[in-house]
Amino acid sequence: MNTFRKTQATDIYAFAYVCLEIYTGRLPFVDVANDAEVIYQVIQGIRPTRPVIHDDTGVQISDDLWDLIERCWEAQPTNRASIAEVVDTIGHWHRAWDSKTILMIENSVAQWIFSNQGNYLCWIENSSRARTTYVSRTIANLCAREGKLAASFFFARGQSAMQFFPKLIDQIAHHFPSCETYIRTALREEPSLLSPTSADELQTLLLKTIIFPTMTMGDTMTPKVIVVDALDLCDHRSESDWLTLEILVQAIIWLAESMHRNAVPLQIFVTSHPDLHRTAKRGSHKFGPETRSLYLHPYGLLDSWTNPWDELRNLAKLDLPPDEDDELSGSQDSGLLHIAPERLLSHISRWLEDNNGRQVCWVKYPVRQFGRRSSIAQHFANECRARGTLAAVIICSDETLNSRTLLPAIAIQLGKSMPMLKPAIRQIIEDQREILLATNDLAFARKLIIEPFLMGDFQRVATMTIIVDYHGCSDGKFLLDALIWMENAFRSHAIPLQLFVTSEPDLYQQANLQHPRFLDNALTLHLPRVESWTANPLSPAQSLFKNNGQKIYQVCLYLICI
């Protein structure tokens, strides 16, 4: 009896069968006559076969889950997965998935399924195989519960593309008994239909076995969904040279278009790696308007049905300045405006009117601002607004700005202050929505700012000003890099934009040391150090800091460094 003692390995073995029973809804070896035969088969190394179709829902078991089950019931106990490996594997499938993202996915797809707005194809892209399969299983189960599942096909790596269409036709015949007669008749009259040798013959197969039979149902047929998971994993080379992945994708798109054209009550839900989705999008002019695309990325979910301007605003995640002029001169005045010499203010005003080829005006504070906004930036933002030349106001602090949000925030405000740019910005987002959240893609954000100007005639447009107030970012490198890039782009493309920057000493010194040529081309102004904090009466403590503020700051900086 010691041979059959309970160990962690036996628990892992039992876990595999529990997973199989939960998935299939049946006991393992249910077709075996008696327990003695089950024991004999287990000893011989025989295991249950992989379930192809779930008896109740029609959902195929995923490749990831089957691999885990097989690892858990290995005949040699030492070869089985440990409980830690099981937990890690399952955790890997769902890691980094917050409930909000999952809910957004389910709501978006459910809206597509039940809204019946004429989009017969829904395609979701994601670089994580486990995540897309999880989504596909969730959607397939949802459709099965609601009686709306027509077929499901979960591609495993290396699975032949030639298997897809026969299994698809078989499942449609199973779920629509009234169509089965038409399908059988078509195949009996033309047996060669199931062995297409070209894209045209493949379309004929789909037309005679899916489109025509379902058209006969008319309004009596409840709309149902075909779920296709991991389309990019199929192997299109093993059985046929003509059935490339591109032809397979085009056949699915053609099938969706035919459903739309003939009002067939079927929809297709597809998941794949981003590359395949984007190739399909570029390869068919009808893909965009007739398809709902979902882009699942580490930063969230993009939906082709969503207003692109709202998506860009969500990406920026900045508190944008209000429309009202008086709110920019509110209570966060840092007290620097009153000590600015009249000559300095007049320099800035003249630069706003005519920059004489200098795309940048940089005003350096005498001391650190400790997170307080600059009244000089606020003052000239209001002045530019009064002139109708304010393009954007960016308040740079740790809470509001980072390398992902800076340029999208500028693009949003450009579309608001220069309405003629907004259609071009929207079009760029529509065309390349899939990379908006895919990575920290500065090239795309830069394109949102520059390309709209190149798409129209802005030679006669007055020069607009982007105001950047830096007062406390822990890392100013990304901001400095963006400023240098913008100045160069505005100059080289003759774009009617200029930069007004106010900053603390550290960012200015960094620019002066690392990019002296950049500041040589800028109008640089320095606020005086005297009376730099406030004109109001000071308390003794404030007076101490006023007279010795720079020394105290240097001592604190020295203590931090050591």
Side-chain angles (χ1 to χ4, degrees):
M1 294 298 292
N2 290 337
T3 306
F4 302 102
R5 68 181 184 277
K6 293 181 179 179
T7 64
Q8 187 180 82
T10 62
D11 289 342
I12 292 296
Y13 181 87
F15 171 76
Y17 285 92
V18 170
C19 289
L20 188 64
E21 182 176 350
I22 291 175
Y23 179 81
T24 61
R26 301 188 302 171
L27 291 172
F29 298 104
V30 68
D31 298 326
V32 179
N34 53 65
D35 292 345
E37 179 65 20
V38 172
I39 294 173
Y40 175 77
Q41 290 191 15
V42 170
I43 293 174
Q44 295 299 313
I46 299 173
R47 299 290 185 267
T49 57
R50 178 174 180 172
V52 178
I53 300 295
H54 189 299
D55 287 348
D56 297 327
T57 66
V59 179
Q60 292 183 319
I61 194 168
S62 71
D63 200 37
D64 291 329
L65 178 58
W66 185 248
D67 287 344
L68 179 61
I69 290 174
E70 287 189 318
R71 288 174 57 203
C72 291
W73 64 26
E74 281 279 351
Q76 187 64 33
T78 55
N79 293 337
R80 294 171 193 165
S82 66
I83 187 63
E85 290 174 324
V86 171
V87 172
D88 287 344
T89 300
I90 297 176
H92 177 72
W93 297 344
H94 306 290
R95 193 169 293 124
W97 277 60
D98 56 56
S99 57
K100 181 179 179 180
T101 300
I102 295 174
L103 186 61
M104 288 174 62
I105 296 169
E106 293 178 348
N107 288 344
S108 296
V109 178
Q111 183 187 16
W112 167 75
I113 292 172
F114 296 101
S115 65
N116 192 25
Q117 294 188 9
N119 298 97
Y120 282 71
L121 178 62
C122 179
W123 197 311
I124 185 168
E125 69 166 47
N126 185 246
S127 56
S128 169
R129 175 60 49 228
R131 291 181 179 182
T132 49
T133 298
Y134 174 79
V135 171
S136 299
R137 289 186 55 78
T138 300
I139 299 306
N141 285 321
L142 169 65
C143 293
R145 288 196 306 269
E146 299 294 331
K148 297 181 75 67
L149 185 65
S152 66
F153 195 94
F154 287 69
F155 275 102
R157 188 173 299 279
Q159 189 169 7
S160 172
M162 292 297 291
Q163 299 177 17
F164 172 63
F165 293 106
K167 290 186 177 182
L168 174 63
I169 294 167
D170 179 66
Q171 291 187 57
I172 289 177
H174 174 73
H175 284 92
F176 302 107
S178 57
C179 293
E180 185 174 2
T181 302
Y182 294 92
I183 295 174
R184 289 183 181 277
T185 300
L187 295 178
R188 186 168 54 250
E189 293 177 353
E190 296 183 66
S192 61
L193 282 176
L194 285 176
S195 303
T197 59
S198 66
D200 291 338
E201 290 183 7
L202 180 57
Q203 289 185 5
T204 302
L205 169 66
L206 299 177
L207 196 65
K208 293 187 176 182
T209 59
I210 295 179
I211 300 299
F212 288 167
T214 50
M215 284 176 60
T216 63
M217 297 291 296
D219 297 334
T220 62
M221 179 176 169
T222 303
K224 295 182 183 292
V225 179
I226 299 169
V227 177
V228 182
D229 177 63
L231 183 59
D232 53 290
L233 292 186
C234 75
D235 182 4
H236 53 83
R237 296 164 297 180
S238 57
E239 298 181 20
S240 174
D241 292 332
W242 70 268
L243 185 55
T244 63
L245 185 57
E246 180 182 0
I247 291 178
L248 178 61
V249 169
Q250 291 302 318
I252 292 175
I253 296 175
W254 177 89
L255 181 60
E257 292 174 356
S258 299
M259 293 172 180
H260 188 186
R261 188 166 53 251
N262 297 286
V264 171
L266 285 173
Q267 297 169 285
I268 305 176
F269 175 82
V270 178
T271 67
S272 77
H273 189 273
D275 290 342
L276 184 62
H277 175 225
R278 298 171 194 182
T279 301
K281 182 179 177 182
R282 291 191 296 269
S284 174
H285 68 281
K286 293 186 178 181
F287 188 92
E290 296 186 1
T291 304
R292 181 166 189 176
S293 294
L294 299 172
Y295 311 90
L296 183 59
H297 297 301
Y299 299 102
L301 178 73
L302 290 179
D303 189 337
S304 61
W305 279 10
T306 304
N307 186 325
W309 206 250
D310 292 338
E311 287 179 345
L312 187 61
R313 184 176 291 272
N314 291 336
L315 176 62
K317 295 181 180 177
L318 286 178
D319 295 327
L320 301 181
D323 292 334
E324 294 77 8
D325 295 349
D326 56 351
E327 292 202 27
L328 272 178
S329 57
S331 60
Q332 299 195 50
D333 190 337
S334 66
L336 291 176
L337 181 62
H338 74 279
I339 57 92
E342 189 64 33
R343 185 176 58 180
L344 182 144
L345 299 179
S346 64
H347 272 310
I348 299 174
S349 295
R350 286 198 299 272
W351 175 83
L352 290 173
E353 294 175 359
D354 183 4
N355 61 29
N356 289 320
R358 294 185 171 187
Q359 304 287 131
V360 179
C361 176
W362 194 310
V363 178
K364 187 192 76 169
Y365 309 148
V367 291
R368 288 178 64 84
Q369 292 299 290
F370 299 98
R372 297 185 297 179
R373 294 184 182 181
S374 164
S375 57
I376 292 179
Q378 296 176 29
H379 171 79
F380 282 103
N382 288 332
E383 181 173 328
C384 289
R385 179 176 283 109
R387 297 182 181 194
T389 59
L390 181 63
V393 178
I394 300 297
I395 308 299
C396 304
S397 70
D398 286 332
E399 294 78 18
T400 60
L401 199 74
N402 57 53
S403 57
R404 277 186 53 78
T405 62
L406 172 63
L407 296 179
I410 293 176
I412 289 174
Q413 296 191 60
L414 285 176
K416 181 179 180 181
S417 60
M418 305 178 72
M420 70 288 289
L421 288 179
K422 194 167 184 177
I425 296 175
R426 287 177 63 102
Q427 188 60 49
I428 293 172
I429 298 173
E430 286 283 11
D431 292 343
Q432 302 187 44
R433 187 190 299 258
E434 63 271 12
I435 64 174
L436 186 59
L437 283 180
T439 59
N440 187 2
D441 196 336
L442 289 179
F444 180 60
R446 291 170 176 177
K447 187 173 184 179
L448 286 176
I449 295 176
I450 300 303
E451 190 161 308
F453 285 95
L454 305 180
M455 296 168 66
D457 182 11
F458 293 91
Q459 297 298 322
R460 299 181 181 180
V461 175
T463 300
M464 305 287 283
T465 303
I466 298 174
I467 294 179
V468 180
D469 181 24
Y470 175 91
H471 60 82
C473 279
S474 58
D475 178 17
K477 183 180 183 304
F478 75 86
L479 175 61
L480 185 56
D481 291 343
L483 292 174
I484 293 171
W485 172 82
M486 284 190 286
E487 188 272 342
N488 181 66
F490 299 162
R491 184 186 304 276
S492 59
H493 295 289
I495 292 174
L497 289 175
Q498 58 188 9
L499 296 166
F500 178 77
V501 183
T502 58
S503 81
E504 297 178 340
D506 51 356
L507 185 66
Y508 179 86
Q509 292 165 4
Q510 185 179 353
N512 194 34
L513 289 173
Q514 299 179 8
H515 307 280
R517 192 169 297 179
F518 169 69
L519 288 182
D520 288 344
N521 296 326
L523 172 63
T524 56
L525 302 170
H526 304 260
L527 284 175
R529 188 182 303 275
V530 181
E531 298 293 338
S532 59
W533 283 105
T534 179
N536 298 327
L538 304 177
S539 66
Q542 290 173 323
S543 177
L544 175 65
F545 191 84
K546 177 189 119 175
N547 296 326
N548 301 281
Q550 187 66 16
K551 293 180 180 179
I552 292 174
Y553 167 67
Q554 292 173 348
V555 170
C556 291
L557 185 61
Y558 172 76
L559 292 175
I560 292 172
C561 293
I562 63 173

XYZ file of all heavy atoms in Angstrom, residues 214-271:
457
model
N -27.303 29.537 -45.071
C -27.796 30.429 -44.018
C -28.715 31.511 -44.578
O -29.557 32.045 -43.845
C -26.613 31.081 -43.280
O -25.694 31.642 -44.226
C -25.880 30.064 -42.422
N -28.562 31.848 -45.877
C -29.477 32.817 -46.481
C -30.903 32.279 -46.510
O -31.863 33.057 -46.425
C -29.025 33.146 -47.905
C -27.826 34.088 -47.988
S -27.280 34.340 -49.700
C -28.768 35.051 -50.431
N -31.042 30.968 -46.608
C -32.382 30.378 -46.663
C -33.128 30.502 -45.347
O -34.344 30.376 -45.316
C -32.287 28.895 -47.039
O -31.558 28.188 -46.022
C -31.586 28.715 -48.369
N -32.379 30.747 -44.275
C -33.017 30.864 -42.958
C -33.810 32.157 -42.831
O -34.794 32.214 -42.109
C -31.952 30.804 -41.861
C -31.186 29.489 -41.802
S -32.256 28.158 -41.252
C -32.642 28.712 -39.600
N -33.324 33.209 -43.499
C -34.026 34.491 -43.430
C -34.040 35.041 -42.014
O -33.086 34.905 -41.239
N -35.161 35.653 -41.641
C -35.297 36.279 -40.326
C -35.547 35.268 -39.215
O -35.583 35.634 -38.040
C -36.444 37.302 -40.345
C -36.168 38.443 -41.317
O -34.969 38.697 -41.570
O -37.131 39.039 -41.824
N -35.753 33.999 -39.563
C -36.051 33.002 -38.533
C -34.801 32.549 -37.783
O -34.893 31.916 -36.745
C -36.699 31.758 -39.179
O -35.766 31.163 -40.103
C -37.966 32.146 -39.926
N -33.633 32.871 -38.298
C -32.380 32.414 -37.707
C -31.844 33.439 -36.713
O -31.710 34.619 -37.025
C -31.349 32.177 -38.817
C -30.002 31.712 -38.333
S -28.920 31.352 -39.748
C -27.355 31.150 -38.911
N -31.561 32.998 -35.489
C -30.976 33.876 -34.484
C -29.519 34.151 -34.834
O -28.758 33.217 -35.089
C -31.047 33.228 -33.091
O -32.404 32.928 -32.781
C -30.468 34.147 -32.036
N -29.092 35.403 -34.883
C -27.697 35.703 -35.224
C -26.728 34.990 -34.276
O -26.932 34.962 -33.061
C -27.618 37.226 -35.062
C -29.018 37.704 -35.238
C -29.879 36.625 -34.661
N -25.690 34.404 -34.843
C -24.719 33.670 -34.063
C -23.307 34.100 -34.441
O -23.098 34.775 -35.458
C -24.892 32.161 -34.264
C -26.224 31.620 -33.732
C -26.328 30.116 -33.899
C -27.687 29.592 -33.440
N -27.865 29.716 -31.992
N -22.326 33.684 -33.611
C -20.949 34.160 -33.728
C -20.000 32.996 -33.983
O -20.110 31.947 -33.347
C -20.516 34.908 -32.448
C -19.062 35.380 -32.565
C -21.440 36.097 -32.187
N -19.074 33.190 -34.913
C -17.968 32.255 -35.162
C -16.737 32.800 -34.446
O -16.303 33.922 -34.717
C -17.687 32.118 -36.670
C -18.920 31.577 -37.397
C -16.484 31.220 -36.914
C -18.803 31.659 -38.914
N -16.166 32.028 -33.534
C -14.992 32.450 -32.764
C -13.745 31.767 -33.333
O -13.691 30.536 -33.409
C -15.147 32.111 -31.273
C -13.884 32.485 -30.501
C -16.361 32.835 -30.687
N -12.760 32.573 -33.738
C -11.503 32.049 -34.275
C -10.363 32.621 -33.442
O -10.141 33.838 -33.434
C -11.306 32.431 -35.755
C -10.014 31.821 -36.288
C -12.500 31.993 -36.591
N -9.631 31.738 -32.750
C -8.567 32.197 -31.863
C -7.191 31.881 -32.450
O -6.989 30.831 -33.071
C -8.698 31.515 -30.491
C -7.564 31.914 -29.547
O -7.484 33.113 -29.232
O -6.770 31.036 -29.155
N -6.250 32.794 -32.215
C -4.836 32.595 -32.578
C -4.677 32.264 -34.060
O -3.998 31.310 -34.432
C -4.215 31.498 -31.719
N -5.266 33.076 -34.898
C -5.214 32.833 -36.343
C -3.777 32.811 -36.855
O -3.460 32.092 -37.805
C -6.020 33.912 -37.065
C -6.145 33.791 -38.583
C -6.796 32.468 -38.970
C -6.937 34.969 -39.145
N -2.897 33.563 -36.221
C -1.516 33.640 -36.691
C -0.709 32.374 -36.420
O 0.394 32.217 -36.945
C -0.813 34.829 -36.029
C -0.932 34.798 -34.520
O -2.049 35.022 -34.004
O 0.080 34.553 -33.850
N -1.243 31.443 -35.595
C -0.494 30.228 -35.264
C -0.653 29.123 -36.308
O 0.058 28.120 -36.254
C -0.933 29.680 -33.902
C -0.568 30.518 -32.674
C -0.945 29.774 -31.413
C 0.911 30.866 -32.665
N -1.587 29.261 -37.225
C -1.844 28.161 -38.156
C -0.650 27.937 -39.073
O 0.093 28.861 -39.397
C -3.106 28.435 -38.973
S -2.889 29.672 -40.261
N -0.485 26.676 -39.468
C 0.578 26.302 -40.393
C -0.028 26.175 -41.792
O -0.845 25.291 -42.041
C 1.202 24.972 -39.964
C 2.354 24.563 -40.875
O 2.707 25.354 -41.772
O 2.894 23.459 -40.677
N 0.364 27.052 -42.692
C -0.230 27.077 -44.030
C 0.687 26.431 -45.070
O 0.427 26.515 -46.263
C -0.519 28.523 -44.449
C 0.669 29.421 -44.322
N 1.633 29.521 -45.282
C 1.058 30.237 -43.307
C 2.565 30.379 -44.899
N 2.250 30.826 -43.703
N 1.750 25.731 -44.613
C 2.711 25.196 -45.580
C 2.710 23.667 -45.655
O 3.248 23.107 -46.585
C 4.119 25.649 -45.191
C 4.312 27.152 -45.264
C 5.550 27.569 -44.523
N 5.430 27.244 -43.096
C 6.361 27.494 -42.191
N 7.490 28.052 -42.560
N 6.177 27.180 -40.928
N 2.107 23.001 -44.666
C 2.276 21.556 -44.578
C 1.519 20.791 -45.659
O 2.002 19.787 -46.156
C 1.827 21.070 -43.195
O 0.477 21.444 -42.960
N 0.316 21.239 -46.014
C -0.508 20.464 -46.946
C -0.713 21.148 -48.289
O -1.103 20.515 -49.252
C -1.876 20.182 -46.310
C -1.794 19.343 -45.031
C -3.174 19.078 -44.462
O -4.156 19.188 -45.217
O -3.276 18.760 -43.277
N -0.492 22.439 -48.340
C -0.794 23.150 -49.584
C 0.110 24.355 -49.722
O 0.344 25.082 -48.762
C -2.253 23.589 -49.596
O -2.518 24.394 -50.719
N 0.636 24.543 -50.933
C 1.479 25.701 -51.194
C 0.647 26.943 -51.522
O 1.117 28.061 -51.365
C 2.431 25.410 -52.358
C 3.462 24.348 -51.993
O 3.777 24.242 -50.800
O 3.911 23.629 -52.897
N -0.562 26.732 -51.977
C -1.365 27.882 -52.418
C -2.060 28.576 -51.257
O -2.299 29.785 -51.303
C -2.404 27.442 -53.454
C -3.513 26.581 -52.882
C -3.532 25.221 -52.818
C -4.727 27.039 -52.291
N -4.688 24.797 -52.224
C -5.457 25.895 -51.886
C -5.292 28.294 -52.059
C -6.695 25.969 -51.269
C -6.525 28.380 -51.450
C -7.224 27.229 -51.063
N -2.410 27.831 -50.189
C -3.159 28.425 -49.071
C -2.193 29.114 -48.112
O -1.806 28.581 -47.080
C -3.973 27.365 -48.346
C -4.902 27.889 -47.216
C -5.824 28.969 -47.736
C -5.685 26.747 -46.596
N -1.792 30.307 -48.460
C -0.921 31.095 -47.591
C -1.754 31.730 -46.480
O -2.984 31.773 -46.544
C -0.221 32.197 -48.383
O -1.217 33.110 -48.902
C 0.573 31.611 -49.543
N -1.059 32.238 -45.488
C -1.758 32.909 -44.390
C -2.499 34.142 -44.901
O -3.598 34.454 -44.439
C -0.750 33.299 -43.306
C -1.317 33.900 -42.016
C -2.328 32.961 -41.374
C -0.203 34.227 -41.036
N -1.912 34.811 -45.870
C -2.570 35.981 -46.451
C -3.886 35.593 -47.128
O -4.902 36.282 -46.967
C -1.644 36.644 -47.464
C -2.250 37.874 -48.122
C -1.330 38.496 -49.152
O -0.222 37.962 -49.352
O -1.733 39.500 -49.769
N -3.899 34.477 -47.874
C -5.136 34.027 -48.523
C -6.159 33.607 -47.488
O -7.365 33.878 -47.632
C -4.824 32.868 -49.494
C -4.026 33.392 -50.692
C -6.111 32.190 -49.969
C -3.624 32.315 -51.673
N -5.703 32.964 -46.407
C -6.615 32.566 -45.336
C -7.283 33.779 -44.703
O -8.501 33.808 -44.483
C -5.859 31.765 -44.282
C -6.655 31.292 -43.057
C -7.794 30.376 -43.475
C -5.744 30.604 -42.061
N -6.494 34.807 -44.438
C -7.036 36.040 -43.846
C -8.016 36.704 -44.799
O -9.107 37.134 -44.401
C -5.885 37.006 -43.482
C -6.439 38.381 -43.117
C -5.064 36.448 -42.337
N -7.632 36.801 -46.080
C -8.517 37.422 -47.053
C -9.812 36.633 -47.217
O -10.873 37.219 -47.452
C -7.802 37.546 -48.403
C -6.654 38.551 -48.418
C -7.110 39.949 -48.028
O -8.168 40.415 -48.461
N -6.316 40.613 -47.208
N -9.738 35.301 -47.064
C -10.955 34.488 -47.148
C -11.897 34.788 -45.988
O -13.125 34.859 -46.176
C -10.582 33.004 -47.160
N -11.344 34.984 -44.795
C -12.172 35.323 -43.634
C -12.802 36.704 -43.815
O -13.988 36.907 -43.517
C -11.330 35.252 -42.347
C -10.945 33.797 -42.057
C -12.085 35.849 -41.169
C -10.024 33.627 -40.876
N -12.013 37.657 -44.302
C -12.554 38.999 -44.552
C -13.635 38.937 -45.633
O -14.697 39.571 -45.512
C -11.422 39.961 -44.960
C -10.431 40.138 -43.803
C -11.988 41.309 -45.379
C -9.220 40.968 -44.163
N -13.375 38.175 -46.690
C -14.373 38.016 -47.754
C -15.642 37.382 -47.212
O -16.762 37.785 -47.589
C -13.795 37.154 -48.870
C -14.776 36.885 -49.979
C -14.998 37.650 -51.097
C -15.691 35.789 -50.068
N -15.986 37.111 -51.873
C -16.433 35.955 -51.264
C -15.957 34.690 -49.265
C -17.422 35.061 -51.659
C -16.946 33.794 -49.653
C -17.667 33.972 -50.846
N -15.497 36.387 -46.336
C -16.673 35.744 -45.740
C -17.490 36.746 -44.933
O -18.726 36.774 -45.029
C -16.218 34.579 -44.857
C -17.320 33.761 -44.170
C -18.262 33.137 -45.196
C -16.710 32.680 -43.276
N -16.804 37.582 -44.148
C -17.517 38.604 -43.364
C -18.218 39.607 -44.275
O -19.357 40.015 -44.015
C -16.540 39.317 -42.437
N -17.545 40.017 -45.367
C -18.169 40.944 -46.310
C -19.403 40.316 -46.964
O -20.421 40.990 -47.179
C -17.156 41.343 -47.388
C -16.005 42.198 -46.864
C -14.949 42.439 -47.929
O -15.093 41.874 -49.030
O -13.981 43.186 -47.665
N -19.312 39.018 -47.302
C -20.454 38.328 -47.919
C -21.618 38.224 -46.944
O -22.787 38.338 -47.345
C -20.021 36.935 -48.387
O -18.994 37.026 -49.355
N -21.304 37.994 -45.672
C -22.358 37.980 -44.659
C -23.067 39.322 -44.602
O -24.301 39.403 -44.513
C -21.760 37.641 -43.287
C -21.221 36.232 -43.152
S -20.346 36.013 -41.573
C -19.830 34.299 -41.715
N -22.266 40.372 -44.656
C -22.832 41.715 -44.615
C -23.680 41.985 -45.856
O -24.812 42.481 -45.764
C -21.703 42.738 -44.508
C -22.172 44.140 -44.275
N -21.317 45.211 -44.277
C -23.402 44.646 -44.033
C -22.012 46.309 -44.050
N -23.272 46.002 -43.914
N -23.132 41.649 -47.013
C -23.800 41.937 -48.287
C -25.117 41.169 -48.432
O -26.089 41.673 -48.988
C -22.849 41.592 -49.426
C -23.336 42.014 -50.802
C -22.226 41.951 -51.821
N -21.555 40.650 -51.849
C -20.324 40.431 -51.411
N -19.618 41.434 -50.906
N -19.783 39.226 -51.480
N -25.153 39.941 -47.912
C -26.340 39.095 -48.060
C -27.191 39.022 -46.795
O -28.112 38.203 -46.733
C -25.910 37.677 -48.462
C -25.223 37.641 -49.809
O -25.865 37.776 -50.849
N -23.903 37.474 -49.801
N -26.875 39.880 -45.822
C -27.646 39.935 -44.565
C -27.734 38.565 -43.899
O -28.781 38.161 -43.398
C -29.041 40.499 -44.816
N -26.606 37.847 -43.907
C -26.550 36.538 -43.256
C -26.397 36.737 -41.752
O -25.542 37.523 -41.320
C -25.372 35.708 -43.817
C -25.165 34.436 -43.008
C -25.615 35.384 -45.276
N -27.182 36.071 -40.936
C -27.139 36.280 -39.482
C -25.952 35.576 -38.823
O -26.123 34.753 -37.917
C -28.479 35.716 -39.011
C -28.824 34.682 -40.015
C -28.282 35.160 -41.326
N -24.753 35.886 -39.280
C -23.534 35.340 -38.688
C -22.529 36.476 -38.502
O -22.497 37.434 -39.290
C -22.916 34.257 -39.581
C -23.592 32.889 -39.620
C -22.935 32.007 -40.679
C -23.535 32.204 -38.259
N -21.705 36.351 -37.461
C -20.622 37.302 -37.211
C -19.354 36.505 -36.934
O -19.413 35.359 -36.483
C -20.957 38.199 -36.005
C -22.189 39.074 -36.189
C -22.600 39.729 -34.873
O -23.160 39.079 -34.002
N -22.314 41.009 -34.727
N -18.196 37.121 -37.181
C -16.925 36.443 -36.970
C -16.095 37.229 -35.961
O -15.886 38.443 -36.117
C -16.133 36.305 -38.285
C -16.976 35.609 -39.350
C -14.834 35.520 -38.049
C -16.287 35.519 -40.702
N -15.622 36.523 -34.926
C -14.741 37.119 -33.914
C -13.369 36.471 -34.040
O -13.238 35.245 -33.979
C -15.314 36.891 -32.508
C -14.406 37.370 -31.402
C -14.387 38.698 -31.037
C -13.571 36.476 -30.726
C -13.552 39.145 -30.024
C -12.732 36.911 -29.712
C -12.724 38.249 -29.354
N -12.318 37.275 -34.248
C -10.978 36.766 -34.502
C -10.000 37.384 -33.506
O -10.083 38.573 -33.188
C -10.524 37.105 -35.946
C -9.100 36.615 -36.191
C -11.473 36.504 -36.960
N -9.046 36.566 -33.031
C -7.922 37.092 -32.244
C -6.636 36.682 -32.930
O -6.552 35.623 -33.556
C -7.914 36.562 -30.803
O -7.648 35.152 -30.808
C -9.233 36.836 -30.104
